[in-house]
Amino acid sequence: MRDIQLVLERWGGWAASDNSGIDYSPIAAGFKGLLPQTGKNRLSCTDDDALVIEGCMARLKNKKPYEHSLLVAHYFYDVSKRKIAKAKKKDEKLIRIEIQMAEGFIDGCLAMLDVRLDMDEEVSA
């Protein structure tokens, strides 16, 4: 079984890198002024893995744009759940639940596709 949080963390590192070709608006989802300007190195995944995850993220965006925005804020922009909760004026516990639901969607999508990711050996429990 995959550790979906580690999978999404690696996807976020890939998407945030300059050579990914993926562009997310820094003011999307009401996070203007909240996003850190860091240049730290992050774990990343292969292009093949990232494109599969991007497909799942696109499905999530079509079905639940709000949950998609939470995953982008947390995994792409590396914004803490606490800061997201403060920006959304919601209880942190509720934000954690909403992010877990979005993570579950991505995990289920990957399971339905029945694909083997290059990072599977490193993120399996």
Side-chain angles (χ1 to χ4, degrees):
M1 188 151 156
R2 291 182 181 114
D3 179 348
I4 193 62
Q5 293 175 336
L6 188 52
V7 168
L8 288 169
E9 204 152 306
R10 287 177 176 230
W11 164 81
W14 175 86
S17 69
D18 291 336
N19 60 355
S20 71
I22 303 297
D23 186 31
Y24 286 95
S25 172
I27 58 171
F31 292 105
K32 184 177 183 182
L34 185 66
L35 306 176
Q37 299 295 327
T38 61
K40 66 179 181 179
N41 291 335
R42 295 169 62 180
L43 286 176
S44 189
C45 60
T46 65
D47 289 345
D48 292 338
D49 284 359
L51 293 175
V52 170
I53 297 165
E54 270 297 314
C56 295
M57 290 292 288
R59 287 182 182 92
L60 177 63
K61 186 175 183 179
N62 285 339
K63 295 205 177 278
K64 300 192 178 246
Y66 173 72
E67 289 180 3
H68 175 268
S69 72
L70 292 177
L71 288 186
V72 169
H74 185 63
Y75 290 107
F76 180 82
Y77 291 113
D78 207 20
V79 178
S80 73
K81 293 171 186 173
R82 179 171 289 164
K83 282 186 179 179
I84 294 171
K86 194 172 184 178
K88 296 290 186 183
K89 295 181 173 69
K90 287 187 172 184
D91 187 357
E92 185 180 346
K93 184 178 179 181
L94 182 59
I95 293 296
R96 289 182 182 278
I97 291 169
E98 292 169 342
I99 288 175
Q100 281 181 334
M101 289 173 58
E103 290 167 347
F105 181 94
I106 300 299
D107 199 18
C109 186
L110 290 171
M112 291 288 293
L113 291 173
D114 195 27
V115 293
R116 184 179 180 339
L117 299 175
D118 294 335
M119 69 173 114
D120 275 347
E121 290 178 18
E122 300 165 24
V123 297
S124 294

